[in-house]
Amino acid sequence: MPEPYDVITMGRIGVDLYPLRTGVPLAQVDTFGKFLGGSATNVAVAAARLGRRTAVITRTGQDAFGDYVHQALGEFGVDDRWVTPVAAYPTPVTFCEIFPPDDFPLYFYRQPKAPDLEIHTRELDLDAIRETRMFWMTGTGLCEEPSRSATLAALAHRDQPDQSGVTVFDLDWRPMFWADPAEARPYYTQALAHATVAVGNLDECEVATGEREPYAAARALLAAGVELAVVKQGPKGVLAVHRDGTQAEVPPVPVEVVNGLGAGDAFGGALCHGLLSGWELERVMRYANAAGAIVAARLACSSAMPYAAEVDQVLAGGPVPPSPVPVPVPPSEAPSAPSGSPASPGAVS
């Protein structure tokens, strides 16, 4: 039997087209960079950068951008065997505007329907999902059928008495993906009952539990069934509460923010790495915060995910390593990011 994966993620994939001019409206941008995108995909990339064997379950269009996605996954070392084409729908494209330090509007092009919402239960490799050391799914996967049923089926298949792996529910709240956002909570409740870890920012926790105060939200997530609740508080850092009473609340790493959109996915990949390493809770949170800060100081998302040596450098008090993608200087009239702006691990692409 093949060796189980360290991490399998399930959810969004697409192409990010990010402006190569910061601090200006999208209407004035004339040059874009093309990057692999989608939250679940970025988490798989982030964990792979830290040495983990990863794969992603998702779908693309049967088009040139779909070809690009497979190429990029291979370059990042993420197994693409469960990334399959859908002839009826195009590969999603996402644009953003970049106004550091804390304004990054996103524009999703996922109509008439995103292929990653066409994941069917019958197509899942349930044995691989059950055997992986960590399974990561997202709230977006619950917004439409057949992805909703497939996601819940994968969770139920892992939730067995002899299951020793970790199941992470990334709350990943995107109201524009739901026909009626009020319908979300029952599906979030179903997913939480099968998960061992829940991760979300304050808005996402409120959708899932009705609670927005960090400690109340963490307690509500634990009551819903998880063993570990991770509440991302943006500039106030991150709170983690375990069912056994262990807690950790750590501040963000101060950085000059360039683009906060990938910080949450870097945080997620580093969270996977730390939990799989068996580290104590505060160390995991500090490591994940540092990974998120590095990406917040860079332009892109997937290609900006840090290597272990880079995270170690930041944790040791060193500077954030240079971005692998050149960051243009903002126009003089654009708002600039103040030195020491805390990176928000609550922002995700």
Side-chain angles (χ1 to χ4, degrees), residues 152 155-156 159 167 169 186-196 221 223-226 243:
L152 293 172
L155 288 171
D159 191 10
T167 301
F169 180 8
Y187 299 116
Y188 272 60
T189 299
Q190 288 184 54
L192 286 168
H194 295 298
T196 52
L221 291 169
V226 303
R243 186 182 294 171

Side-chain angles (χ1 to χ4, degrees), residues 25-166:
L26 198 60
Q28 298 177 22
V29 176
D30 52 12
T31 307
F32 296 84
K34 181 181 68 177
F35 308 100
L36 179 67
S39 183
T41 302
N42 285 339
V43 170
V45 170
R49 280 274 171 95
L50 297 173
R52 297 297 175 177
R53 182 170 178 252
T54 72
V56 60
I57 301 169
T58 190
R59 306 196 73 182
T60 71
Q62 196 166 329
D63 52 26
F65 276 148
D67 295 340
Y68 164 73
V69 161
H70 281 278
Q71 174 188 321
L73 287 170
E75 292 171 353
F76 286 125
V78 177
D79 196 321
D80 66 348
R81 69 182 61 197
W82 297 305
V83 182
T84 57
V86 178
Y89 304 120
T91 302
V93 174
T94 302
F95 290 86
C96 77
E97 291 176 304
I98 301 177
F99 297 105
D102 58 5
D103 186 19
F104 309 101
L106 279 169
Y107 303 89
F108 293 97
Y109 290 79
R110 293 169 59 85
Q111 300 299 329
K113 186 178 184 180
D116 54 58
L117 296 175
E118 280 291 298
I119 302 172
H120 293 262
T121 302
R122 66 177 182 272
E123 299 166 342
L124 296 177
D125 187 338
L126 291 173
D127 289 340
I129 290 171
R130 181 172 179 177
E131 293 300 318
T132 185
R133 299 177 64 196
M134 179 170 287
F135 178 63
W136 180 288
M137 47 72 61
T138 74
T140 295
L142 301 173
C143 73
E144 284 193 47
E145 294 289 1
S147 172
R148 177 187 299 147
S149 292
T151 301
L152 293 172
L155 288 171
H157 194 75
R158 272 185 70 80
D159 191 10
Q160 304 293 330
D162 61 344
Q163 174 57 244
S164 60
V166 178

Side-chain angles (χ1 to χ4, degrees), residues 214-288:
Y215 281 90
R219 290 192 295 268
L221 291 169
L222 295 176
V226 303
E227 297 176 10
L228 174 63
V230 180
V231 180
K232 296 184 285 188
Q233 305 174 76
K236 293 184 178 180
V238 62
L239 168 68
V241 181
H242 196 278
R243 186 182 294 171
D244 66 8
T246 306
Q247 297 185 14
E249 187 166 15
V250 300
V253 176
V255 295
E256 186 171 335
V257 175
V258 173
N259 182 1
L261 291 175
D265 300 334
F267 180 97
L271 174 69
C272 293
H273 178 63
L275 292 176
L276 290 172
S277 299
W279 296 341
E280 56 92 20
L281 191 57
E282 182 170 341
R283 181 182 179 188
V284 174
M285 293 303 112
R286 291 190 182 279
Y287 193 91

